[in-house]
């Protein structure tokens, strides 16, 4: 028995010694591989320590593990976020490099991304751990004991000139967020339409805005609003109370705008009631300006054939419209809009709608009507866009909204106009622009002044965005992307139709 026990002890000692050598060799080799990744050169065939490992498959695994360790040491592994993705797209040639203003904005977005990842539980971002039931319970409990649960993470309000890449940067940020998070990305026009729709649904409730805010925050804690712009007095009065409830529910706001917070709804009716919203916006969001002077939309390649300039092109657009629809027969159609309403379309076929300018922008229409159009039609033929001024300021507002909605939905615009995009808005100026113009003197009569000049702050700021978007929508890149999207949608519809027939 003693001899057997001694033999077992010797075998155990030998095995431990071999395991120690094996482990020591693994550590030395892992260090060697880490050093190799950091810049030291070695040769596999001449490495004596490599020969300790008899199984090549294990050497491959250890190499991957050691390289991962080196990545962790350098802070690169599992690193994600908008700045990382931006650098990847630059390296792939998908984006233009060299804009320090965009990089500065991306650092702010990356900072917010990192804070959200670290505070995901505290912010109740994961939709699978923060149920709607708990949200309703919090709302019911707040009826008896008022409480506030503002987010520990501040949002971000990005503003700057047109074409500086605000929407692209926010989308890049949004695409990096986890799919399981309660998040929503929506255009401001569309967001306000949803709010008004929900308010009608909850008519008769003591505080319908609180109920709507509860529904919004139950659906999405991280709210990304593109093109924040307040022009309507009803929206201005709603926003203050709505966002007071939203911020209290823990909403984190990420928004883009052409206007600084203090310039929102400037000169609007009853603006004093809107000012508390500006204060809470600046309290709950980091405000960051994108100062780039480059309009990236205008860097696209010009394309002729969809924007025609002339004083009298009667009947010309109809011919172009007929060429686009090809063998399809055009006729009067209808498009559904919000609240069960329908919008009459003079001519429509194959996803293309034709309108004279007066029928689309000289009648009482708004963003809801234009969203309904874009859901049914991918191309809009608009005839007779005029030069804008004091006499048709309301039509100019509607045209701006139409272009915003079409751009958001990536729709195509075929139009005839009295001037280039810049010329259409040349008579629209802001108050500061008007003040910089030469004042009247005794030698100048009132007749010499341009009577059609329209001094309007909101429209004056919006025109730059519209000019930029019209330029991009007529670019080669935009039109090619539109054509590819239409082709892809047609292929999917064809595949669905084939499956239906087979069934």
């Amino acid at each position: 028995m003693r001899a057997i026990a001694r033999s077992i002890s010797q075998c155990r000692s030998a095995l431990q010694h071999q395991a120690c050598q094996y482990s020591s060799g693994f550590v030395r080799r892992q260090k060697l591989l880490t050093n190799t990744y950091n810049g030291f050169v070695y040769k596999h065939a001449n490495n004596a320590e490599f020969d300790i490992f008899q199984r090549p498959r294990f050497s491959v695994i250890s190499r991957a593990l050691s390289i991962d360790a080196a990545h962790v040491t350098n802070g690169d592994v599992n690193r994600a976020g908008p700045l990382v993705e931006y650098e990847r797209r630059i390296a792939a040639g998908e984006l233009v490099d060299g804009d320090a203003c965009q990089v500065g904005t991306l650092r702010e977005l990356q900072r917010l991304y990192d804070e959200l990842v670290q505070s995901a539980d505290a912010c109740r971002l994961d939709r699978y751990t923060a149920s709607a039931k708990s949200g309703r319970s919090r709302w019911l409990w707040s009826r008896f004991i008022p409480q506030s649960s503002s987010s520990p993470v501040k949002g971000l309000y990005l503003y700057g000139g047109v074409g500086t890449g605000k929407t692209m940067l926010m989308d890049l940020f949004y695409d990096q967020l986890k799919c399981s998070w309660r998040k929503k990305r929506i255009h401001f026009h569309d967001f306000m339409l949803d709010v008004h729709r929900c308010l009608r649904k909850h008519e008769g409730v003591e505080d319908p805005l609180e109920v709507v805010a509860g529904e919004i925050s139950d659906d999405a804690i991280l709210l990304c609003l593109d093109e924040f712009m307040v022009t309507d007095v009803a929206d201005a009065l709603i926003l203050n109370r709505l966002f007071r409830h939203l911020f209290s529910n823990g909403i984190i706001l990420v928004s883009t705008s052409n206007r600084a917070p203090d310039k929102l709804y400037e000169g609007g009716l009853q603006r004093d009631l809107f000012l508390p919203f500006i204060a809470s916006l600046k309290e709950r969001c980091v405000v960051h300006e994108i100062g780039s002077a480059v309009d990236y939309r205008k860097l696209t390649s010009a394309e002729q054939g969809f924007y025609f300039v002339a004083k009298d092109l009667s009947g010309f657009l109809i011919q172009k419209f007929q060429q686009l629809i090809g063998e399809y027969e055009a006729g009067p159609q209808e498009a559904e809009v919000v609240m069960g309403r329908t919008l009459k379309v003079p001519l429509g076929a194959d996803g293309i709608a034709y309108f004279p300018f007066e029928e689309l922008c000289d009648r009482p229409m708004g963003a809801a009507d234009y969203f309904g159009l874009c859901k049914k039609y991918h191309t809009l033929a608009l005839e007779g866009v005029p030069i804008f001024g004091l006499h048709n300021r309301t039509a100019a507002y509607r045209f701006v909204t139409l272009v915003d909605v079409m751009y958001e939905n990536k729709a195509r615009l075929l139009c005839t106009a009295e001037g280039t995009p810049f010329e259409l808005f040349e008579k629209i100026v802001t108050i500061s622009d008007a003040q910089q113009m030469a004042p009247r003197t005794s030698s100048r009569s009132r007749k010499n002044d341009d009577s059609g000049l329209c001094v309007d702050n909101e429209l004056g700021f919006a025109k730059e965005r519209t000019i930029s978007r019209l330029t991009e929508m007529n670019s080669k890149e935009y039109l090619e992307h539109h054509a590819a999207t239409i082709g892809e949608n047609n292929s999917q519809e064809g595949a669905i139709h084939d499956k239906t027939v087979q069934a």
Side-chain angles (χ1 to χ4, degrees):
M1 291 292 296
R2 289 180 180 177
I4 294 173
R6 190 180 301 110
S7 299
I8 292 174
S9 176
Q10 289 174 352
C11 289
R12 181 182 301 164
S13 176
L15 287 171
Q16 288 177 346
H17 179 70
Q18 185 176 1
C20 183
Q21 284 184 331
Y22 183 88
S23 175
S24 176
F26 176 77
V27 171
R28 286 196 302 272
R29 183 169 161 215
Q30 191 174 35
K31 287 181 178 179
L32 177 63
L33 283 171
T34 303
N35 288 339
T36 302
Y37 183 81
N38 289 330
F40 294 98
V41 179
Y42 74 101
K43 293 183 179 180
H44 180 120
N46 297 331
N47 190 335
E49 293 192 8
F50 240 94
D51 295 335
I52 295 174
F53 295 91
Q54 301 297 324
R55 299 169 67 183
R57 181 176 298 177
F58 187 83
S59 70
V60 172
I61 296 173
S62 67
R63 182 182 296 113
L65 289 172
S66 60
I67 291 176
D68 284 345
H71 276 264
V72 171
T73 305
N74 294 334
D76 291 332
V77 76
N78 294 329
R79 181 165 172 78
L83 185 58
V84 177
E85 176 62 15
Y86 180 82
E87 292 170 349
R88 185 200 68 77
R89 294 187 186 183
I90 292 293
E94 299 173 13
L95 293 176
V96 179
D97 193 7
D99 192 331
C101 295
Q102 283 193 353
V103 173
T105 303
L106 278 162
R107 290 197 183 101
E108 286 293 328
L109 289 166
Q110 184 69 42
R111 175 196 57 76
L112 175 59
Y113 174 87
D114 293 338
E115 289 183 8
L116 290 172
V117 171
Q118 293 171 4
S119 307
D121 292 338
C123 295
R124 297 179 287 114
L125 280 169
D126 197 300
R127 68 176 68 254
Y128 300 110
T129 58
S131 66
K133 182 178 179 181
S134 65
R136 288 192 295 269
S137 300
R138 286 194 307 275
W139 178 85
L140 181 62
W141 187 249
S142 68
R143 300 294 83 213
F144 303 98
I145 303 178
Q147 56 186 350
S148 175
S149 55
S150 297
S151 172
V153 175
K154 285 189 175 184
L156 189 60
Y157 182 93
L158 302 174
Y159 75 96
V162 298
T164 53
K166 298 184 295 297
T167 298
M168 181 275 292
L169 294 174
M170 188 177 74
D171 287 346
L172 194 150
F173 163 80
Y174 185 83
D175 292 342
Q176 299 302 302
L177 303 175
K178 293 183 178 180
C179 296
S180 61
W181 284 2
R182 292 189 292 159
K183 59 177 183 174
K184 186 170 188 177
R185 188 269 188 215
I186 188 171
H187 192 276
F188 180 75
H189 281 314
D190 211 1
F191 173 73
M192 291 309 301
L193 286 174
D194 287 346
V195 170
H196 286 290
R197 192 181 299 114
C198 292
L199 286 174
R200 293 189 190 96
K201 183 177 69 174
H202 296 296
E203 275 184 328
V205 178
E206 181 181 353
D207 188 354
L209 276 174
E210 185 175 7
V211 179
V212 172
E215 291 178 348
I216 293 172
S217 54
D218 279 347
D219 179 54
I221 281 293
L222 184 62
L223 182 62
C224 295
L225 293 181
D226 191 28
E227 298 292 355
F228 205 111
M229 180 180 66
V230 187
T231 58
D232 185 78
V233 62
D235 290 348
L237 297 178
I238 286 173
L239 283 170
N240 180 35
R241 291 175 53 219
L242 175 65
F243 271 89
R244 186 173 72 237
H245 292 309
L246 287 176
F247 287 140
S248 180
N249 291 347
I251 279 282
I252 304 164
L253 176 65
V254 179
S255 181
T256 68
S257 178
N258 293 125
R259 313 289 296 273
D262 291 327
K263 298 293 184 181
L264 288 172
Y265 197 51
E266 191 174 32
L269 294 173
Q270 300 182 333
R271 189 173 187 261
D272 55 324
L273 299 178
F274 181 74
L275 294 178
F277 167 72
I278 296 177
S280 61
L281 181 68
K282 290 169 22 178
E283 179 186 353
R284 295 304 313 158
C285 294
V286 175
V287 179
H288 179 80
E289 180 181 8
I290 306 179
S292 177
V294 179
D295 187 341
Y296 285 92
R297 297 190 191 117
K298 293 181 180 178
L299 294 181
T300 52
S301 304
E303 176 80 7
Q304 298 297 323
F306 286 89
Y307 189 103
F308 302 95
V309 179
K311 289 289 184 181
D312 184 15
L313 287 173
S314 179
F316 177 78
L317 194 69
I318 287 289
Q319 296 177 10
K320 290 291 181 182
F321 172 75
Q322 293 290 346
Q323 291 175 10
L324 284 179
I325 64 174
E327 60 186 13
Y328 291 90
E329 184 176 349
Q333 294 184 345
E334 290 184 344
E336 293 184 4
V337 293
V338 295
M339 303 300 293
R341 294 192 299 109
T342 58
L343 178 64
K344 294 186 181 301
V345 179
L347 288 175
D350 192 30
I352 305 172
Y354 165 86
F355 279 90
F357 177 84
E358 294 78 12
E359 289 196 28
L360 203 54
C361 296
D362 259 346
R363 296 169 59 190
M365 292 189 183
D369 301 291
Y370 302 144
F371 272 111
L373 272 179
C374 289
K375 285 180 180 178
K376 184 171 182 178
Y377 301 99
H378 58 73
T379 299
L380 176 63
L382 189 62
E383 183 161 11
V385 182
I387 300 291
F388 297 113
L390 187 61
H391 67 289
N392 59 359
R393 172 167 54 182
T394 305
Y397 267 107
R398 293 195 185 104
F399 182 68
V400 166
T401 303
L402 173 64
V403 172
D404 282 345
V405 172
M406 292 188 68
Y407 184 84
E408 176 69 14
N409 287 273
K410 305 303 179 188
R412 181 173 57 178
L413 177 64
L414 170 66
C415 73
T416 56
E418 293 182 0
T420 64
F422 176 80
E423 291 169 344
L424 293 182
F425 292 92
E426 199 168 6
K427 295 182 180 180
I428 306 292
V429 296
T430 62
I431 294 174
S432 60
D433 290 337
Q435 290 173 344
Q436 293 174 7
M437 293 179 178
R440 294 190 185 94
T441 64
S442 58
S443 61
R444 291 181 61 200
S445 68
R446 187 178 294 271
K447 292 181 180 179
N448 291 330
D449 289 324
D450 189 348
S451 59
L453 195 69
C454 176
V455 181
D456 188 307
N457 258 3
E458 290 298 332
L459 198 54
F461 279 105
K463 76 172 187 178
E464 296 296 337
R465 180 180 71 252
T466 307
I467 292 169
S468 177
R469 288 185 166 180
L470 284 172
T471 303
E472 183 186 359
M473 290 168 71
N474 200 47
S475 69
K476 178 182 177 182
E477 290 82 357
Y478 186 96
L479 296 173
E480 286 179 348
H481 176 74
H482 179 273
T485 303
I486 297 304
E488 182 179 345
N489 292 341
N490 290 340
S491 298
Q492 292 176 354
E493 291 175 1
I496 294 173
H497 179 266
D498 291 342
K499 289 182 179 178
T500 305
V501 172
Q502 291 175 2

